[in-house]
Amino acid sequence: MMKKLPVLLTPYIKTRYPYRKLKICRRCNHFTVLGEADCPVCGHAALQNVEKRAASMLQRSMWKDWFVVLLIMLVGIALSESTKQTILFVAGSLLLLALLWTIQRRTKFALLHVQLEKLFQNEAYALCNGLVKDREAAIKVFESGNKPLAYEMLREIGALVHTDQLRIEQILLLQSFVLRKDMDLMLDPLLMNHFNSDLVEYIGELAKIRRDLLKENAFRYILLHEAQILKMEHGESILIGVAGAVVRMKRYITLYPHLLLRYARKLPKDRFLRLYRMIQSSQTANNGPLYEEVMTIYNEKYKWDEDFQRDNR
Ligand SMILES: [Zn+2]
């Protein structure tokens, strides 16, 4: 078995929209999710956030609208035949400018999104090319031996590139680290549709140290591939660990009773105690096969256990 590396990982900075991770070079138009200022292609400190680029493009088109209205105003004034006509024209143009300003202010956020979409459409090739180069840079870092940095780079790219290849690369790197509960780990972005034993083993690790990361998508994945997981060397203990994570919330117990029915008997005492308490306190679960199974296990194994008795007092 490969020796696992103790590592320190930089916390992951989440953004509300994944594209906020993306930067574009003002000099050579190169897109990247890696680096803050220096462009990896031309070397200039010219990286700028894509939103900033879209905002300046939008500002330019807004200035164009203002320019057109002002031009109409000037032509109107030049062609007016009386002072009254000039005053009327100036007043009309000012009203139009005020209206334009209000519309632009109110629709700025929506227009910014349209501009961003336009930017991504027009620069689709450069965008893909940039992300491919980012991945190549991460692979080079991996080959140079800096695995934690390679993982952090792939994690950044993963915010925008959702391919199984990239997920597998991240999982393999994570599986080569000694994972600790204080690490900034993730699971949902790494889930795939097909069965992958490395992913299952990673889920098994998380079930030991970060149960809170196992949510509905993970439980569904495990249920879907349960038969294949059971064929793995430590498959059953992974499933027991996952069942222990289901016990974390009442909602999960209601949604995944079959997983618990199959593995409740093998749960460690603390997880079974939690399941027992949840089932006892639930109004709706006081019948049905899971309730019966939990009570059978309780009667067989824990009836005289002090921790359980404390509960019944
Ligand atoms: Zn550049």
Side-chain angles (χ1 to χ4, degrees):
M1 204 177 129
M2 192 175 57
K3 197 170 178 299
K4 296 201 175 202
L5 288 175
V7 293
L8 272 178
L9 295 177
T10 316
Y12 181 70
I13 299 165
K14 283 194 185 91
T15 52
R16 189 167 173 199
Y17 302 106
Y19 64 76
R20 284 192 175 154
K21 292 260 169 195
L22 202 57
K23 296 194 174 62
I24 184 168
C25 176
R26 285 195 301 270
R27 292 262 185 151
C28 68
N29 260 9
H30 175 73
F31 283 89
T32 181
V33 286
L34 307 173
E36 285 303 315
D38 296 340
C39 171
V41 169
C42 69
H44 286 102
L47 287 184
Q48 114 182 110
N49 199 293
V50 283
E51 253 180 338
K52 211 170 166 191
R53 164 71 69 94
S56 58
M57 286 163 77
L58 180 64
Q59 196 59 54
R60 238 176 290 150
S61 91
M62 283 177 170
W63 280 121
K64 259 187 220 164
D65 296 343
W66 279 71
F67 178 74
V68 171
V69 175
L70 285 169
L71 195 70
I72 294 169
M73 187 165 103
L74 287 174
V75 171
I77 293 167
L79 296 178
S80 345
E81 288 165 354
S82 65
T83 320
K84 197 180 163 191
Q85 253 186 13
T86 309
I87 293 169
L88 275 173
F89 219 92
V90 170
S93 303
L94 288 176
L95 196 70
L96 196 60
L97 280 176
L99 194 68
L100 187 63
W101 182 77
T102 314
I103 292 171
Q104 284 181 343
R105 212 169 54 106
R106 288 200 178 161
T107 55
K108 200 170 178 181
F109 189 71
L111 289 175
L112 188 67
H113 271 254
V114 172
Q115 198 65 53
L116 263 173
E117 266 176 36
K118 248 192 227 171
L119 175 69
F120 293 147
Q121 269 171 13
N122 295 343
E123 303 286 344
Y125 180 75
L127 176 57
C128 289
N129 200 28
L131 292 168
V132 167
K133 284 220 164 72
D134 278 350
R135 185 178 161 269
E136 285 169 4
I139 301 296
K140 261 189 203 153
V141 168
F142 169 75
E143 284 165 355
S144 76
N146 194 343
K147 286 186 179 180
L149 181 60
Y151 165 71
E152 283 169 14
M153 290 164 86
L154 291 172
R155 185 176 66 175
E156 290 297 323
I157 303 163
L160 285 151
V161 181
H162 303 142
T163 62
D164 283 353
Q165 170 74 21
L166 200 74
R167 291 184 181 111
I168 291 168
E169 285 165 358
Q170 289 178 77
I171 292 164
L172 287 175
L173 277 168
L174 282 165
Q175 282 297 85
S176 72
F177 303 151
V178 177
L179 300 180
R180 299 182 315 270
K181 65 170 144 195
D182 61 316
M183 276 180 173
D184 195 358
L185 300 167
M186 54 173 76
L187 176 58
D188 262 20
L190 300 176
L191 288 172
M192 307 170 226
N193 287 324
H194 67 271
F195 170 75
N196 180 285
S197 59
D198 293 303
L199 171 60
V200 172
E201 274 176 26
Y202 176 59
I203 294 175
E205 287 276 310
L206 291 181
K208 288 182 209 155
I209 56 163
R210 286 288 307 273
R211 276 186 207 116
D212 58 303
L213 288 178
L214 273 67
K215 293 180 182 148
E216 284 171 40
N217 287 341
F219 297 134
R220 274 199 293 270
Y221 180 83
I222 290 292
L223 272 172
L224 193 64
H225 302 291
E226 190 183 351
Q228 275 163 295
I229 297 171
L230 279 170
K231 287 181 196 156
M232 288 170 61
E233 196 186 352
H234 305 291
E236 194 187 43
S237 60
I238 291 172
L239 288 163
I240 295 166
V242 173
V246 171
V247 170
R248 213 170 63 80
M249 284 170 83
K250 224 173 236 178
R251 175 180 158 73
Y252 297 153
I253 296 178
T254 317
L255 284 171
Y256 309 103
H258 299 293
L259 198 64
L260 289 172
L261 260 174
R262 289 195 281 277
Y263 302 100
R265 188 167 286 276
K266 290 181 177 168
L267 280 176
K269 186 177 139 185
D270 70 307
R271 300 320 288 163
F272 183 79
L273 178 59
R274 187 173 172 83
L275 173 63
Y276 175 76
R277 282 182 182 158
M278 292 269 211
I279 290 280
Q280 288 278 311
S281 66
S282 169
Q283 298 289 317
T284 49
N286 277 358
N287 48 44
L290 182 60
Y291 177 79
E292 279 170 29
E293 173 70 358
V294 167
M295 291 318 288
T296 310
I297 299 167
Y298 164 76
N299 284 323
E300 283 175 18
K301 290 170 82 175
Y302 300 109
K303 201 172 179 179
W304 308 111
D305 191 302
E306 270 188 23
D307 295 325
F308 285 77
Q309 296 318 309
R310 214 172 291 144
D311 239 40
N312 288 340
R313 254 174 243 160

